[in-house]
């Protein structure tokens, strides 16, 4: 980047070609007030607070959009400029209903701060007091249009980062409002509830129902940790005050995973369940009643000892690797069983089986690529996945790719038309015929000579040749034309990414996984050792759990006599699983919340929630390792999961070593 | 399909089609009868079509067929494009002969066909009549409106069928493009456009050639050309007329641009969706151009490819702004974005883009064809080419005018536009639409070019030219445009979105009478900020109407703020009724008119009298500014307010009805009033009513001032005046006649606590020509005074009166009554510019007095010290002066002489103020006394001045108002209060004004004419000419009042 030099406020300063005047000011410590500007979003020059005088220009210009040039002479603080800024600020205050006293954002408001900066002790115009609306129909957010300064940050963050384009401006002139879709309430709109708008809003126009009037952010402590939900591995900035969770924000709103999703930003705060704060035990009448930890451990330990290798352990993969490891160690060394699984372990078994042929060294997902490949994609094949439901940030990345790269999105799903507004094509194979469809796709690619990179193995060509369009159509109901379009779209793309999800493992068909990898391989969609394929694994530390081998065993809902279920704050809501749990003779549940599962347990052990948990290691779905941290102190008397496992172990006459990493395989 | 492959192909079409169109250029009606081809050209522009041109066109086809005319001659009925005379539509032109029929209805067609087409006679009743001269102008070429234009952009409008590409080709259409494509280098084309001096006709005036050059040299192998046809200014429709009347010229211009700029394969014409006909016409033209191989791939086999599509705008004014327009084409919300980068580098889809307006693109073919020098030679004073304007507003000829850039504004407004209708006086033009500003009458000689217009705070804009006259309020006008920009602001940047509504709020406050002078400062400060800090052109220029009206019409703002007066009587929040508001003394016109209507004449009289002591005088000689603002006048004639007032006064006099105002208490201070004219006496009455001791000193032997010695008996009988003067005396006012006061100090020494100088203007101005000091040359003021006082006046037989004001007409009519056998008036300007009130001019001519216009005296001829004649010189009109009239200039060598024995010079009066300065009272322009306009205070404390002595010769009603204002100031002065704007005295009596009945259907009905003495009987006596209304007539006339007071007051 070429160096340029400018004169700002009489000082010689330097910047780079491509910088705006504002960039140069910031780099050189020259303070210019801004309101609509937001790091990582396109600058629009709407609020006009950053106006500067540039010699040679007839009018004053916003520094946020003005390209810096060699030799430019800029004045940022002339009398006229400061007068205009104050005038603009006066207009801004009087335009809408800015009454700080009643505003949630008071004390944390950029407009208010600007008012102080310009010593706005009065305004010379009457307040317009327009009759503005308040939209509170959204689950987590409220929009008070009366406090909106129309800076457009929310519109831009919704369009450029979350890439959902729910928010835009409606009407014009002084009637302009931020509008969700076609003037709908946010709650009824296409809003993904990512909350990025809320975080970007400089005033109290958009605020969170969960943090409403709690405490000013400036009075909070901040703790950074990693999100314990889905495996995308978003970093969270958690605001706390007096050991209470106040608010969750993104440390890098406009970054790759910046917007966060409704689960990470709001879901982690909405604690609507009843906590378990002490152990429970089922008495002789079959009723659960509170007991001491000792009693509970005694009951559980003795039964485990008795059943030994017939006892089974299932653990939530939302827990950090250290806990998982300890759990495995306990099951293996103390209970003496290798019947260990994680919640959602079936996914891993399908992936592991399917990737076998592609992993020389070990089984598992190493063949897959990084999530940032999605942002570079010009074509995305979405197979059996609904990222908006399970991995909302992946949906955001896909939308960004569609927006920025005009990426083509092809959906293969036998049930749902996912990402309807974004996809170009939906192939809807009959349930169970997905393999045929993929073979058909590959066949088209081969027969049209659209392969790239490695030459296709003769065996593969041979095996695919029978999947002509007619047969595919007959077996899958997918039109020949659609099949061809999909094949060409995918194969002709320069940078195609395949994303697959729960539909694939629910079908329990590892061939599907192999086919998807084959498809990527055939078309040269490879980056070094990695094929451009991503599986949306079910939980935050799924990959960590599998690295430990905690999901190797397919218990397949078979009859077990005893089960130690460490769910912590993960909920079990699968009817099939719940039915299975009922068949178990002796059930030990270690959980944070009361639920259907705890009510059928024989022994209930309390577990801290995510924020109370000691820190540990998480491996994201694309293999990135991050550390989590304890955010608040656990409720009084509550032990960490690991401590309970250790205590249980002691009860059973075993001392577990503290730093031994044990593979569960 | 006639694909054009070579220049030769084009030539052949021209050769074939042009002869068929020759008849349309034949303007000689004499050749109509032997014509072998007749073309009936029906204008099918939006205006004419909306007025029913489609029916008219069909009717012509039917009627021609029915009569079998086609068997004898070749008759074509052809659609033509807009010629810009839309107000007169539907327009039909018949050639040869170029005869224009306006406002043609279906029912007129048979007559036209029968009379014109069959018999070769012009249907007089449908031809255009010049509104100034009232003479018919049957041929297009005779119409002043067209005659003085220079049409190059519009030259084919009205000549060719816009739906026929071949008719365009017949006039060398597409020749320029083929010339450029086959024989020029792109750089040469750019160079030619640059050399021509063409500047963007969208308003900003950026040199087109430079813009093209910038895009040509911009990086990128995909570029666009775009036409801005989002004409959104209120009252502007010149682009529409090109799109509808000659769409191929736009296509050709864009083709040339695309070729010159290079790497352009696609163009867009952004046309507002409100122009469906323009879109349809252009679409058809594009289709034809594609069929002829002029748009599309590999044009003429040269490898050059270009196609054009229309993008209909969705109705946002802001999309006329270039970045918003381009973003709108991209399919996004049409908000502007901050420049730089400019579209030349980053335009449509971020590619380098050339955006020009319809008019700019459309002139390009002719520049390429005829050369840069041709174009450069057209403008005035270094400004190349022409500009089309839409003349609208208070203008006689509204429509599209194309004139060379740099043409003086007055030329456009008066010579082409015919000035404001109904003889109203021109005030200003708003140029450049909502983004522009006003140019006031003082700058009427300003050349209309980019720099001159900008230097006056306006902009050239796309060419909207809204004319305003005396009835237009400039504050209201600023409000109108601000309301528009407020609604059309996109809302993106704060200064525009929030600043404009705040400015509008302040303006509303001012027009409702709640404004303060501080508001004006805040308004100006806001306007400057919005103009400077807004993101795009809309916000940057939106304050222009405000800033330019404050700049040029600050007094009008102050009048709204300080005096709570809207001089144009527009801002309804300030008044009950415009007549009352306009009356300098604020007479309750709707009140007394409605009393008269109900036959309650005594109440009518009392209502007038309690406000003002001279009902009878004003009922006769007032110049009635109220009638000029009467709402009824917008429908037919204004209500005869003055006549009604006179009726009430006459009725009271006849019935012996006396009205004596009450005197409130008694005060010891005494006040001296110098001059017993209307100003002095009005002040005297008001002060006496408040109990002050008032003495009026009058130099003349009679009271009444100019009313007594200036206005002749036949207009104002003395007995009427005397009765009203004596009513004032009854209040205890002491009038001392034959007492000339030349010592102000002496008055104070005598114990007077305050002095009001109401001296009048009794000294006549002189012609200052050789020989004027001989016997028989009179000064009009002196002449009239002598006649009025019954003094001996020697009167000749042949009298020449010099001047054009009321004194001149009075003198002329008096001379006639004094026994002159021939009276001639000589006036240096045109008759229409005479300052005398219109009914006087009519009366003068009725009485046989001849008015010689455009002539001025140069010498008085005499023999033996006695007048024998007058040498005069003819005048011609030059530039406009500050009053909007053209300045007369002597025509050298045109001197001539007339014989006469008496010369009366009536060219002006001034007050006799020689004595005042030594008493510390300052003298201003024209020897008048300097006094504060609002308080009438002079520089010397306790001394006030008003009436003609301050204003120079003016009207009776203004003098009365001045007297009242002086009384109010003197009272405040004597009571130690701060002086300020006039406060109306509280009414002594409260009247219950009749409620207006529901006026369901007001039918047009001219005013009731007033009986007058027959002109033949007038010369022999001084009997009053105007005989007044009968009670019946008065009630009938009064019932014409629309009672807009009730409407405005929300009764």
């Amino acid at each position: 980047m070429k160096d340029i030099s400018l004169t700002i406020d009489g000082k010689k300063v330097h910047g780079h070609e491509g910088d705006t005047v504002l960039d140069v000011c910031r780099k050189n410590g020259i303070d210019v007030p801004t309101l609509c500007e937001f790091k990582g979003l396109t600058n629009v020059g709407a609020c006009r607070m950053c106006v500067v005088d540039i010699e040679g220009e007839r009018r004053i210009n916003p520094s946020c959009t003005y390209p810096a040039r060699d030799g430019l002479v800029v004045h940022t603080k002339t009398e006229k400029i400061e007068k205009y800024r104050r005038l603009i600020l006066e207009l801004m205050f009087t335009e809408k209903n800015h009454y700080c006293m009643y505003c949630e954002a008071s004390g944390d408001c950029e407009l208010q701060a600007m008012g102080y900066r310009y010593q706005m002790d009065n305004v010379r115009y009457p307040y317009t007091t327009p009759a503005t609306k308040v939209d509170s129909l959204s689950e987590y957010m409220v929009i008070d249009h009366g406090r909106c300064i129309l800076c457009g940050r929310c519109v831009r963050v919704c369009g450029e980062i979350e890439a959902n384009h729910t928010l835009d401006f409606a009407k014009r002139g002084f009637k302009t409002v931020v509008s969700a879709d076609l003037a709908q309430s946010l709650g009824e709109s296409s809003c993904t509830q990512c909350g990025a708008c809320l975080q970007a809003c400089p005033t109290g126009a958009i605020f969170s129902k969960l943090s409403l009037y709690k405490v000013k952010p400036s009075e909070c402590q901040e703790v950074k940790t990693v999100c314990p939900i889905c495996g995308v591995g978003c970093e969270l900035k958690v605001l706390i005050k007096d050991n209470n969770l106040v608010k969750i924000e993104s440390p890098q709103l406009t970054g790759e995973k910046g917007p966060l999703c409704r689960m990470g930003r709001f879901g982690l705060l909405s604690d609507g369940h009843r906590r378990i704060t002490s152990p429970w035990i089922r008495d002789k009448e079959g009723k659960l009643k509170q007991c001491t930890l000792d009693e509970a451990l005694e009951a559980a330990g003795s039964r485990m000892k008795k059943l030994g290798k017939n006892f089974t352990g299932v653990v939530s993969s939302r827990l950090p690797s250290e806990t998982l490891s300890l759990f495995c160690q306990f099951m293996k060394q103390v209970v003496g069983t290798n019947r260990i699984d994680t919640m959602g372990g079936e996914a891993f078994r399908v992936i592991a089986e399917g990737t076998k042929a592609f992993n020389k060294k070990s089984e598992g997902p190493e063949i897959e690529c990084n999530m940032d490949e999605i942002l570079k994609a010009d074509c995305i094949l979405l197979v059996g996945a609904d990222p908006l439901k399970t991995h909302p940030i992946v949906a955001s990345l896909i939308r960004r790719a569609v927006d920025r790269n005009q990426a083509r999105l092809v959906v293969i799903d036998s049930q749902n038309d996912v990402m309807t507004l974004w996809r170009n094509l939906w192939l809807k194979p009959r349930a169970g015929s997905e393999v045929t469809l993929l073979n058909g796709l590959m066949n088209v690619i081969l027969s049209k000579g659209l392969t790239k990179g490695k030459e296709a193995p003769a065996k593969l060509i041979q095996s695919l040749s029978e999947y002509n369009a007619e047969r595919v159509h007959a077996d899958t109901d997918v039109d020949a034309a659609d099949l061809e379009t999909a094949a060409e779209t995918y194969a002709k793309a320069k940078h195609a990414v395949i994303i697959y999800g729960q539909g694939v493992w629910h079908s329990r068909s590892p061939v599907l996984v192999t086919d998807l990898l084959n498809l990527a391989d055939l078309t040269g969609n490879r980056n070094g050792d990695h094929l451009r394929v991503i599986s949306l694994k079910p939980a935050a530390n799924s990959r960590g759990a599998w690295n430990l081998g905690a999901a190797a065993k397919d218990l397949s809902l078979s009859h077990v006599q005893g089960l130690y279920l460490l769910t912590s704050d993960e909920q079990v809501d699968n009817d099939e699983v719940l039915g299975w749990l009922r068949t178990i003779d002796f059930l030990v549940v270690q959980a944070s919340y009361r639920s259907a599962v705890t009510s059928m347990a024989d022994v209930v052990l309390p577990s801290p929630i995510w924020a109370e948990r000691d820190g540990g290691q998480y491996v994201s779905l694309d293999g990135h390792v991050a550390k989590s941290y304890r955010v608040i102190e656990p409720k009084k008397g509550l032990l960490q999961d690991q401590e309970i496992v250790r205590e249980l172990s002691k009860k059973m006459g075993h001392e577990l070593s503290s730093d031994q990493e044990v593979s569960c395989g | 399909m006639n694909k054009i492959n070579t220049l030769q192909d084009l030539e052949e079409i021209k050769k074939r089609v042009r002869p068929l169109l020759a008849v349309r250029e034949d303007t000689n009606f004499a050749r109509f009868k032997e014509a072998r081809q007749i073309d009936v050209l029906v204008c099918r522009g939006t205006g004419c079509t909306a007025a029913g041109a489609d029916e008219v066109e069909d009717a012509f086809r039917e009627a021609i067929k029915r009569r079998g005319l086609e068997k004898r001659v070749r008759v074509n009925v052809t659609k033509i494009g807009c010629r810009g005379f839309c107000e007169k539509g539907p327009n039909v032109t018949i050639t040869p002969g170029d005869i224009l029929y306006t406002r043609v209805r279906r029912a007129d067609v048979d007559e036209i066909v029968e009379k014109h087409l069959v018999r070769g006679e012009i249907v007089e009743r449908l031809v255009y009549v010049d509104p100034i001269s009232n003479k018919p102008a049957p041929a297009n070429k005779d119409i002043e409106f067209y005659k003085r234009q220079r049409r190059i952009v519009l030259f084919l409008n009205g000549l060719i069928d816009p739906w026929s590409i071949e008719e365009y080709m017949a006039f060398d259409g597409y020749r320029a493009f083929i010339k450029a494509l086959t024989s020029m280098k792109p750089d040469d084309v750019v160079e030619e456009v640059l050399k021509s001096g063409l500047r963007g006709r969208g308003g900003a005036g950026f040199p087109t050639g430079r813009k093209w050059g910038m895009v040509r040299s911009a990086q990128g192998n995909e570029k666009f050309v775009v036409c801005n046809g989002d004409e959104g200014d209120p009252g502007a429709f010149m682009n529409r007329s090109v799109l509808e009347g000659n769409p191929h010229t736009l296509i050709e211009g864009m083709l040339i641009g695309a070729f010159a700029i290079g790497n352009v394969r696609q163009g867009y014409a952004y046309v507002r969706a409100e122009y469906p006909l323009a879109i349809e016409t252009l679409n058809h033209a594009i289709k034809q151009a594609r069929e002829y191989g002029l748009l599309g791939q590999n044009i003429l086999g040269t490898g050059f490819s270009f196609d054009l599509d229309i993008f209909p705008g969705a109705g946002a004014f802001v999309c006329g702004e270039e970045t918003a327009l381009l973003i709108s084409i991209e399919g996004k919300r049409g908000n502007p974005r901050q420049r730089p980068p400019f579209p030349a580098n980053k335009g449509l889809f971020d590619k380098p883009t050339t955006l020009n307006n319809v008019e700019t693109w459309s002139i390009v073919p002719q520049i390429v064809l005829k050369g840069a020098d041709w174009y450069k030679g057209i403008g005035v004073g270094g400004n190349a080419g022409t500009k089309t304007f839409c003349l609208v507003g208070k203008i006689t000829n509204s429509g599209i005018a194309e004139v060379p850039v740099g043409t003086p504004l007055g030329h456009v407004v008066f010579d082409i536009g015919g000035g404001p209708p109904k003889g109203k006086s021109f005030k200003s033009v708003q140029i450049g639409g909502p983004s522009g500003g006003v140019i006031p009458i003082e700058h009427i000689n300003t050349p209309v070019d980019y720099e001159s217009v900008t230097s006056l705070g306006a902009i050239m804009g796309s060419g909207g030219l809204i004319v305003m006259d005396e009835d237009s309020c400039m504050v209201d006008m600023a409000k109108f445009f601000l309301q528009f920009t407020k609604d059309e602001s996109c809302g993106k940047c704060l200064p525009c979105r929030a600043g404009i509504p705040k400015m509008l709020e302040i303006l509303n406050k001012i027009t409702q009478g709640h404004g303060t002078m501080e508001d004006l400062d805040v308004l100006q400060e806001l306007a400057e900020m919005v103009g400077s800090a807004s993101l795009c052109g809309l916000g940057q220029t939106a304050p222009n109407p405000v800033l330019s009206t404050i700049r040029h019409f600050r007094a009008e703002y102050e009048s709204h703020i300080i005096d709570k007066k809207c001089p144009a009587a527009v801002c309804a929040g300030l008044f009950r009724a415009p007549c009352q508001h306009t009356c300098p003394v604020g007479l309750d016109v709707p009140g007394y008119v409605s009393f008269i209507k109900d036959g309650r004449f005594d109440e009518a009289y009392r209502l007038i009298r309690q406000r003002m002591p001279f009902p009878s005088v004003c009922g006769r000689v007032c110049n009635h500014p109220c009638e000029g603002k009467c709402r009824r006048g917008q429908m037919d004639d204004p209500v005869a307010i003055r006549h009604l007032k006179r009726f009430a006064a006459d009725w009271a006099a006849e019935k012996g009805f006396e009205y004596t105002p009450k005197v409130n208490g008694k005060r010891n201070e005494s006040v001296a009033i110098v001059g017993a004219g209307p100003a002095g006496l009005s002040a005297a009455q008001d002060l006496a009513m408040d109990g002050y001791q008032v003495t009026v000193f009058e130099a003349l032997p009679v009271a009444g001032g100019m009313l007594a010695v200036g206005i002749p008996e036949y207009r104002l009988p003395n007995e009427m005046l005397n009765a009203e003067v004596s009513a004032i005396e009854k209040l205890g006012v002491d009038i001392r006649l034959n007492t000339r006061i030349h010592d102000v100090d002496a008055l104070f020494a005598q114990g007077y606590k305050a002095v009001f100088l109401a001296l009048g203007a009794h000294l006549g101005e002189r012609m200052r020509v050789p020989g004027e000091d001989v016997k028989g040359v009179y000064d009009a003021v002196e002449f009239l005074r002598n006649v009025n006082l019954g003094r001996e006046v020697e009167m000749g037989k042949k009298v020449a009166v010099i001047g054009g004001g009321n004194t001149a007409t009075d003198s002329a009519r008096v001379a006639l009554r004094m026994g002159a056998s021939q009276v001639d008036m000589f006036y240096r300007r045109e008759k229409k510019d005479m300052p005398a009130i219109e009914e006087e001019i009519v009366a003068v001519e009725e009485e046989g007095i001849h008015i010689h216009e455009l002539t001025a005296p140069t010498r008085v001829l005499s023999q033996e010290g006695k007048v024998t004649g007058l040498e005069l010189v003819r005048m011609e009109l030059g530039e406009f002066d500050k009053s909007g009239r053209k300045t007369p200039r002597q025509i050298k060598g045109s001197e001539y002489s007339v014989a006469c024995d008496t010369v009366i010079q009536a060219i002006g009066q001034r007050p006799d103020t020689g004595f005042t300065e030594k008493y510390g009272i300052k003298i201003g322009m024209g020897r008048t006394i300097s006094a504060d306009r609002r308080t009438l205070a002079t520089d010397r404390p306790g001394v006030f001045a008003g009436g003609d002595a301050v204003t120079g010769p003016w009207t009776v009603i203004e003098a009365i108002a001045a007297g009242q204002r002086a009384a109010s100031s003197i009272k405040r002065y004597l009571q130690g209060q701060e002086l300020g704007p006039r406060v109306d005295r509280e009414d002594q009596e409260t009247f219950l004004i009749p409620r207006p009945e529901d006026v369901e259907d007001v039918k047009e009905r001219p005013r009731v004419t007033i009986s007058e003495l027959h002109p033949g009987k007038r010369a022999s006596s001084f009997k009053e000419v105007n005989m007044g209304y009968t009670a019946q007539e008065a009630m009938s006339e009064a019932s014409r009042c629309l009672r807009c007071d009730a409407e405005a007051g929300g009764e």
Side-chain angles (χ1 to χ4, degrees), chain B residues 989-1022:
Chain B
E989 205 181 336
T990 313
F991 293 89
L992 222 66
I993 312 293
R995 283 171 161 280
E997 298 145 31
D998 286 336
V999 189
E1000 272 169 26
D1001 183 23
V1002 184
K1003 291 202 179 75
E1004 279 195 33
R1005 174 158 70 96
R1007 62 161 61 179
V1008 177
T1009 48
I1010 198 155
S1011 316
E1012 286 182 342
L1013 203 61
H1014 188 274
K1017 290 185 187 159
R1018 295 184 200 166
S1020 55
S1021 81
F1022 276 87

Side-chain angles (χ1 to χ4, degrees), chain A residues 44-48 51 57-62 65-67 80 83-84 87-89 91-92 94-95 124-128 149-150 168-176, chain B residues 314-317 333 335 338-341 486-495 497-499 501-502 505-506 518 522 525-526 528-535 540-541:
Chain A
V44 290
C47 74
R48 320 304 278 183
V51 286
E57 285 284 349
R58 214 148 47 95
R59 291 191 169 80
I60 57 180
N61 273 274
T65 61
Y66 202 93
K80 185 174 102 179
K83 187 179 118 183
Y84 281 1
L87 251 168
I88 287 166
L89 208 51
L91 285 173
M92 216 177 275
T94 56
E95 187 191 14
R124 284 169 300 162
Y125 320 111
Y127 267 62
T128 312
I149 58 168
L150 297 168
D168 203 337
F169 295 108
K171 304 187 181 174
R172 50 180 122 141
F174 67 105
K175 293 180 181 160
T176 307
Chain B
F317 176 69
R333 177 181 162 97
N335 274 6
Q338 183 74 42
R339 298 174 306 183
K486 174 191 163 200
D487 290 342
E488 293 295 343
S489 160
C490 80
K492 180 175 177 177
C493 79
L494 182 113
R497 179 183 76 233
K502 281 284 175 271
E505 270 174 40
I506 296 173
E518 199 212 345
V522 175
E525 187 185 58
L526 255 178
E528 276 158 14
M529 187 278 287
V530 172
S532 180
S534 287
L535 189 151
Q540 287 160 3
T541 58

Side-chain angles (χ1 to χ4, degrees), chain A residues 322-376:
Chain A
E322 290 81 350
T323 311
L324 298 177
S325 169
L326 189 77
F327 185 81
C328 292
Q329 200 185 339
F330 170 75
M331 290 309 290
K332 278 177 131 173
Q333 296 175 5
V334 181
V335 184
T337 179
N338 57 5
R339 293 172 68 98
I340 307 168
D341 196 5
T342 57
M343 294 163 73
E346 65 179 13
F348 181 64
R349 286 184 285 278
V350 173
I351 298 168
E353 184 64 26
T355 51
K356 232 176 209 168
F358 289 86
N359 286 281
K360 286 175 195 97
K361 281 170 278 172
S362 63
E363 294 169 305
E366 286 78 10
I367 188 71
E368 294 185 2
C369 67
N370 282 338
M371 271 182 285
D372 61 9
E373 296 275 353
I374 303 174
L375 279 182
K376 299 176 204 149

Side-chain angles (χ1 to χ4, degrees), chain B residues 11-76:
Chain B
E11 280 294 302
E12 269 159 28
I13 294 174
K14 180 179 173 181
K15 235 183 269 166
R16 173 161 55 77
V17 181
R18 184 65 179 265
L20 303 174
L21 306 179
V23 64
R24 296 190 197 162
E25 293 174 277
D26 188 350
T27 57
N28 190 345
F29 183 62
R31 281 200 284 267
F32 185 85
K33 282 194 177 166
E34 63 263 26
R36 301 244 291 276
Q37 180 188 343
I38 299 169
D39 275 10
V40 178
L41 309 172
V42 183
C43 174
R44 289 301 308 275
T46 290
C48 287
T49 303
D54 48 348
E55 280 192 355
V56 170
E57 188 189 329
D58 291 346
F60 267 108
R61 290 188 200 283
E62 278 167 33
I64 288 163
K65 208 167 169 189
R66 224 179 311 123
R67 279 186 179 71
L69 266 174
E70 289 141 315
K71 286 169 204 144
R72 277 179 285 146
V73 289
R74 203 187 128 93
V75 186
N76 303 308

Side-chain angles (χ1 to χ4, degrees), chain B residues 714-727:
Chain B
Y714 63 88
R715 277 176 70 200
L716 173 61
N718 271 326
E719 50 167 326
M720 293 294 177
L721 172 65
N722 292 340
E724 291 183 337
V725 173
S726 68

Side-chain angles (χ1 to χ4, degrees), chain B residues 960-976:
Chain B
I960 295 171
Q964 297 185 343
R965 202 173 306 142
S968 147
S969 285
I970 288 169
K971 253 185 302 184
R972 289 196 219 179
Y973 169 74
L974 292 177
Q975 292 170 17

